[in-house]
Amino acid sequence: MKKILSIFLIAIILISALPFSAGASFNSLMETEADIVLLVNTDSETVILDKNADKRSAPASLTKIVTCMLVLENCPDLSVQVTCKRESLNGLYAMNAATAGIVAGEALSIENLLYCLMLPSAADAANILADYVGGNIDNFVVMMNDFVAELGCENTKFVNAHGLDENPNGYTTANDLYKITKYALTNPTFKEITSTSRYDIAPTEKYPYTRYLHNTNKMMNPGIRDYYHKSVSGVKTGTTEKAGHCVITTASQDGYNYMLIVMGAPQYDIDDDNVEENVAFTDSKKIYNWAFENIELTKITNTTDVVTVVDVKYNSKIDHLRLLPAEELSALVPLGTESGSLIIRPIESKTPKVVKAPIKKGEVLGKAEILYGETVVETVDLVAAEDVELNIFLLIFGTIKDILSTTIFKILFAIAAVLLIIYILLIIRKNRIIAKRKKIRKIKG
């Protein structure tokens, strides 16, 4: 039953998330240093910023989002104790991996291991959980790839449970990570864990000290002014040499909700204070400040605005018909956008130049796109502004005229003309022969 519910929920997420609505992608209004950026308003699934969102990149510890979700979906009792196998720790310290200091033979609850996994981004917790859920880590990696495939991720491949660069063949994209994270956030436990700033684990038989776990997402830490943003919660950070600095966050303010994915960010001293800054955090903070200060939900169409006019056939009173937006639409656009900044442009391939009576007021006759600059913000159906009655005589006359102007009629007419000429020539020839025969008889007689 739980499996069926999970599949059903995945389907709902996919339907709601893909494709994104005709989003804004106001890339020209925001400069970022990170290689990959995706900002999505999760209220409307509108893409606000999209910089290389389909570019494949190493996943780093963002991998652990999938690790966490597979554990949550396969372990109904998070109080179960799991003992660390020695092989789960192999190679981690040589790779300078972040760990929770778990030692071989130490037993921790699944819940505690999940907090180790997601807050300090512990690679040892990732391997321990992967081995426990999958039977071995290789099996777990297969489960990971099956999981993201079910979510519709076509540009993601995981090669381990922790995201380290030990295998160069792993990759993902910001768009795929959006699908994964959107689904993960429907799980209350996942959301609770990833939004936690600090979590303490009591001493164990193998580890006699309290573990104080701190979330690596420094945007949630009010003590770090360069990064902190009051509206940010979760979700996961990641850093490797191949991936650069990465972070996935969500933020809510003034009724607007966003998810932001930043990948491939550098680290350097931005403000000459002799301290190198993580640009994944500084870019994220800048983007959120810009979005909350400059993007607002604005009415972009009125049902009384004339978008275009089209020619009318078969009506004696109306030669041109006005087309209006079918509905009043609102979209997320830059603050202070006036009607002059938005352009409603008919889509030529979907809007005829000529329509035929009869036509009912409100009948859909075309489609238009609403643009902010070169960005398509939304599309809308175009409908007739009034009724157009049919004039039967004009219909008959027009139909005849149309028939006469068709290529096939012209061909048939030409064939008929040729045949008529041939017939006339044959008649003339026949008459000449008859006349000639009469003349011969007359001479003989």
Side-chain angles (χ1 to χ4, degrees):
M1 183 64 180
K2 183 176 180 181
K3 179 71 171 177
I4 294 173
L5 289 174
S6 296
I7 294 173
F8 180 69
L9 185 54
I10 288 173
I12 292 175
I13 296 297
L14 286 175
I15 291 170
S16 64
L18 291 172
F20 295 135
S21 66
S25 297
F26 300 110
N27 296 337
S28 62
L29 303 180
M30 170 58 57
E31 293 185 2
T32 58
E33 295 187 67
D35 183 43
I36 298 170
V37 174
L38 178 64
L39 177 66
V40 182
N41 178 279
T42 54
D43 304 305
S44 60
E45 298 296 332
T46 299
V47 178
I48 304 298
L49 295 175
D50 173 355
K51 180 182 179 182
N52 298 324
D54 278 320
K55 180 179 180 179
R56 290 181 175 182
S57 178
S61 286
L62 305 181
T63 299
K64 296 184 175 85
I65 295 172
V66 175
T67 303
C68 182
M69 281 304 299
L70 279 174
V71 174
L72 288 173
E73 293 196 347
N74 287 277
C75 301
D77 185 358
L78 301 186
S79 66
V80 171
Q81 298 287 307
V82 179
T83 300
C84 172
K85 298 178 181 178
R86 186 171 298 279
E87 52 266 33
S88 295
L89 307 177
N90 290 344
L92 295 182
Y93 295 101
M95 289 186 288
N96 197 30
T99 71
I102 303 170
V103 298
E106 183 178 8
L108 290 170
S109 70
I110 294 173
E111 181 179 37
N112 283 343
L113 287 169
L114 287 174
Y115 276 96
C116 290
L117 176 77
M118 299 305 286
L119 269 63
S121 199
D124 47 4
N127 278 353
I128 294 165
L129 289 167
D131 180 76
Y132 174 75
V133 173
N136 59 63
I137 294 175
D138 289 341
N139 286 344
F140 187 81
V141 172
V142 172
M143 293 172 63
M144 294 173 71
N145 288 309
D146 288 344
F147 175 81
V148 296
E150 287 185 5
L151 288 174
C153 299
E154 299 179 353
N155 291 293
T156 295
K157 179 183 177 182
F158 294 114
V159 293
N160 53 43
H162 44 61
L164 293 170
D165 289 340
E166 62 176 351
N167 185 323
N169 296 321
Y171 55 83
T172 190
T173 67
N175 275 331
D176 276 1
L177 285 169
Y178 177 80
K179 301 171 194 175
I180 293 166
T181 308
K182 177 179 172 62
Y183 175 74
L185 288 169
T186 63
N187 186 298
T189 304
F190 177 90
K191 192 171 184 178
E192 180 180 354
I193 292 172
T194 56
S195 62
T196 299
S197 296
R198 172 178 162 171
Y199 185 82
D200 299 341
I201 298 178
T204 66
E205 291 184 0
K206 293 283 186 175
Y207 194 90
Y209 309 103
T210 299
R211 286 183 172 89
Y212 301 103
L213 308 180
H214 296 275
N215 200 315
T216 54
N217 182 2
K218 296 179 181 180
M219 295 187 73
M220 296 166 58
N221 188 338
I224 306 178
R225 292 178 56 191
D226 286 344
Y227 304 146
Y228 177 67
H229 196 291
K230 65 180 181 179
S231 302
V232 166
S233 178
V235 173
K236 191 71 190 74
T237 64
T239 301
T240 67
E241 183 176 350
K242 285 188 63 181
H245 292 279
C246 311
V247 63
I248 300 177
T249 54
T250 60
S252 301
Q253 182 175 308
D254 301 327
Y256 293 89
N257 299 286
Y258 291 98
M259 184 190 298
L260 174 59
I261 299 170
V262 175
M263 304 172 69
Q267 177 168 312
Y268 67 96
D269 184 1
I270 295 175
D271 49 11
D272 297 322
D273 61 355
N274 296 318
V275 177
E276 291 189 343
E277 281 79 26
N278 182 333
V279 176
F281 292 140
T282 56
D283 264 3
S284 294
K285 182 175 181 178
K286 179 173 69 173
I287 290 168
Y288 278 133
N289 284 338
W290 170 80
F292 286 125
E293 292 171 6
N294 294 280
I295 301 297
E296 67 175 0
L297 190 65
T298 303
K299 187 166 72 172
I300 58 174
T301 60
N302 287 302
T303 55
T304 56
D305 294 336
V306 178
V307 176
T308 189
V309 294
V310 293
D311 293 338
V312 176
K313 296 178 68 173
Y314 312 144
N315 183 277
S316 58
K317 297 179 180 179
I318 298 175
D319 294 324
H320 306 287
L321 177 64
R322 296 169 298 147
L323 299 187
L324 314 174
E327 56 185 326
E328 290 188 348
L329 294 177
S330 295
L332 292 164
V333 293
L335 187 67
T337 295
E338 299 175 354
S339 58
S341 303
L342 293 167
I343 299 173
I344 304 179
R345 182 174 65 191
I347 301 173
E348 291 186 5
S349 62
K350 297 182 178 181
T351 305
K353 296 183 181 300
V354 180
V355 293
K356 299 176 182 179
I359 298 167
K360 292 292 185 182
K361 181 178 180 180
E363 181 179 343
V364 176
L365 297 175
K367 187 176 285 289
E369 55 190 6
I370 299 95
L371 297 98
Y372 177 88
E374 294 300 316
T375 299
V376 177
V377 176
E378 189 58 89
T379 59
V380 63
D381 287 334
L382 297 178
V383 298
E386 56 190 310
D387 291 330
V388 180
E389 295 182 355
L390 173 65
N391 185 310
I392 191 65
F393 297 105
L394 289 178
L395 173 62
I396 295 171
F397 177 78
T399 302
I400 294 173
K401 183 180 177 182
D402 290 341
I403 291 173
L404 294 178
S405 64
T406 61
T407 301
I408 189 168
F409 177 83
K410 292 176 181 178
I411 293 172
L412 292 174
F413 180 81
I415 293 172
V418 171
L419 292 174
L420 179 61
I421 292 171
I422 293 172
Y423 176 76
I424 293 172
L425 290 174
L426 289 173
I427 293 297
I428 293 173
R429 183 174 181 273
K430 182 179 178 180
N431 289 337
R432 285 179 177 177
I433 292 171
I434 293 171
K436 186 176 182 180
R437 286 176 180 174
K438 287 181 178 180
K439 186 176 181 182
I440 292 171
R441 287 195 207 101
K442 186 175 181 181
I443 293 172
K444 288 181 177 181

